[in-house]
Structures are given as structure tokens and as C-alpha cells.
Amino acid sequence: MTIAILGIDLGKSVCSVVGLDVTGAVVLRRRMRRQTVIKFAFDFPSCVVAMEACCGAHHLGHALSGQGHTIKLMSPEYVRPYVKAQKNDDRDAEAIAEAATRPTMRFVELKREDQLDLQTLHRMRERLVGTRTRLINQMRAILLERGLTFAKGRRKFEVGLDAILDAEGADVSDRINGLLIDMRQEWTELDRRITELDREFADRAKSDDVTRRLLTVPGIGNLTATALVAAIDDAAAFSTARDLPAWLGLVPRQHTTGGKPRLYGISRRGNIYLRQLFIHGARAALPSLSKAETPLGQWLRGLLARAHYNVAVVALAAKLARIAWATLQRGTTFERSMPGLA
């Protein structure tokens, strides 16, 4: 039995495996555990192993890559059209193997262990920030029911809350005052853990040559630089600079039929976390960049004159993503006076 492509539908414990020969015919169908897949693939000559880019794919990909196999990871949305009727795990594995044969298929790069570690740290920070936001909103709601309102902003609410707690719960019952003290301590602990992660990101950004180059791009800080390296690292994953903002969902969604193109709002596809960081960075950098006497500043002033401010922010985020790609691709730092980057 000669297997050219091995399609694996990953599961928590059991995986479905389908093998295709050089003609594309199915020559193998089997269900086995993850560790059995590694032992099973060891007995075969080197072939293409295709999987969906989901949880556990990188670990299994590294194990099989060490045996000499070629790993191809694909987004699940690109595999879905190849699933035939009566969907099941075996059909999914067959669709994965068939999708990997297409010459126009887009594949996901296999991440290194350090990239996965860095990405995990970002996921941890994102969860802590979300928990802190929910905690603050709950405290605001509790105090609003007691007729106490506060201005927008985390810092303003923090000052107002501390004033209430220092006054021993003015206009608040003893039980609620004790509850607020407990929630305030939880808030302080979340701040401490987030600050520790921010410090770690800053140290990682300064110690790596790639992230140091990214930090020269305006609007890109420690979080964005490390998150971008964790997500792609190698600019060769995108053939052109415009592909990166398209992957981040920072370009207009297009629907063309009958030769009539229609452009809508940004597609919001791809990495949500990274897109959010680029937009926040662009919003912070826009005021200073628009005042600079550079090609980028001239472009921004013209854009602000004819478009809404938020449109300019997203357009600048897409521009910064393209500059970041060029920085990774060329291995150079960003120079604001370079006309080619505007």
C-alpha cells in the first residue's frame, strides 16, 4: 500500500485517518488514538500529512515532521467545501486529504514551540483583561443600584471606588461594603498579574532582533510585536504586503458579480486579537503621524479630509500591517522618511 497523502481528522482522543494514493483514490480508512497515529505513520515512507489547523495540530505536526513527513495545515473553512453528504469523521478526514491536493489551497505554517509559548502568554493576558473588565462592570452596576455613578475610564472609577471604601461604605450597607472590598482585592490581584505579563512581553521584545525591528514601526508596541511574531514570524507566509492586512480582516469585504464590484465594511476575518492590537496602535499613533511632514503624514491628512476618523484609523492599521510585513521581509528597521512605505 502506497500512501501519498494522509488526511487526519483530529479528535480529543480518537482520530480518523484516510490515506490517498498518487491517483487520489482512497486506499486506507482507519480510526486510531493520537499516539497510535504517530506509531502508524512511522512505518510508512515519507508522505504529505494534512490536518486542520486546530487544537493539537501543531503538537502532532511536530511529531510527524520529525519522522520525515511533510505537514500541511489548513483552515477548517477551506476544508468544508470538500466534505461530501452525510458528514462524519471519516468523511472529514477524506475531505482534509482531498483539500491538501489542491494547488491553490492556502496552508498554515507549523508553529515552533517558542511561538506557541508566546501565543499562550497572550491568550492568558487576554483572559485576565477580560476578567478584570467584567469585574469592573459588575462593581459599577452594584454601585449604580445604590445611586452612585462614576465617569468613564478605569482610573477614574478606581479613584472613586477607593474614596467610597475609605469612607467605610458611605451610602452602602455593611454587607455590600465587605463585598466591594473583596472585589477590590481581586481587582488588585488581576492588575498585578497583567503587569507581570506586560513586563515579560517587554523583556521578550527587547531580547529578540525581529521584535526590535517591529518596534521601530509607529503604533506597534511590545504587545503587537510579540503577538505578530507568535502568529506568523516569517513574512514568507504571505506573498505580498497586502496579504497580511487581508488576513487580519483590515480590508473591505468584496462581493463582485456580473462584473460589478461592491465593497462593504472591513471583513473582520482572521486573527481577532491581532487586528484589535493593530487598530488600537493606529488610533494612538494617528495624531502624531498626521502632523509629520512625511509621505505617510501627507497621505493621512488627505485621508482625514475626505473620510471619517474611524475609517482613517482602520486604513492606518492596514498600512502599519503592510509596513510590518516589509520590515519582516527585508530584515530592516522602519524609516519614516522612506517614500516607498507611504
Side-chain angles (χ1 to χ4, degrees), residues 17-144:
V17 178
V18 168
L20 304 183
D21 60 13
V22 292
T23 65
V26 177
V27 296
L28 171 71
R29 291 184 188 273
R30 193 170 299 181
R31 293 172 63 83
M32 57 188 74
R33 294 186 174 274
R34 283 176 174 265
Q35 293 301 321
T36 308
V37 171
I38 299 175
K39 298 177 182 178
F40 175 78
F42 181 78
D43 298 330
F44 284 91
S46 298
C47 64
V48 174
V49 178
M51 295 178 287
E52 291 180 331
C54 57
C55 187
H58 292 282
H59 173 265
L60 188 59
H62 282 295
L64 297 177
S65 177
Q67 298 177 357
H69 299 291
T70 301
I71 309 301
K72 291 188 175 182
L73 304 181
M74 297 164 289
S75 173
E77 65 177 334
Y78 294 149
V79 176
R80 194 175 300 115
Y82 296 92
V83 179
K84 300 181 178 64
Q86 307 300 328
K87 178 187 180 303
N88 53 51
D89 292 342
D90 290 338
R91 290 286 176 89
D92 288 345
E94 181 181 341
I96 292 170
E98 184 175 349
T101 64
R102 309 311 305 160
T104 59
M105 179 57 61
R106 299 176 181 176
F107 298 102
V108 178
E109 292 292 329
L110 191 64
K111 287 183 173 59
R112 305 187 309 271
E113 288 296 330
D114 59 324
Q115 284 183 277
L116 293 174
D117 292 345
L118 192 56
Q119 194 175 59
T120 302
L121 291 177
H122 276 279
R123 296 293 180 269
M124 179 69 70
R125 185 188 183 278
E126 185 181 17
R127 180 182 63 81
L128 292 176
V129 171
T131 301
R132 183 178 64 182
T133 301
R134 289 191 294 271
L135 179 65
I136 292 174
N137 290 339
Q138 187 176 37
M139 296 172 72
R140 282 182 177 272
I142 291 173
L143 293 172
L144 182 60

Side-chain angles (χ1 to χ4, degrees), residues 282-292 295-317:
R283 191 178 298 278
L286 181 58
S288 60
L289 290 178
S290 60
K291 297 176 182 177
L296 182 59
Q298 296 173 4
W299 173 75
L300 282 173
R301 287 191 293 272
L303 183 61
L304 288 170
R306 65 179 186 272
H308 191 275
Y309 189 85
N310 289 339
V311 175
V313 168
V314 176
L316 177 59

Side-chain angles (χ1 to χ4, degrees), residues 263-279:
L263 296 179
Y264 302 93
I266 59 173
S267 63
R268 299 187 179 183
R269 302 179 65 183
N271 194 317
I272 299 175
Y273 177 72
L274 199 53
R275 179 175 66 250
Q276 173 184 323
L277 291 178
F278 267 101
I279 290 179

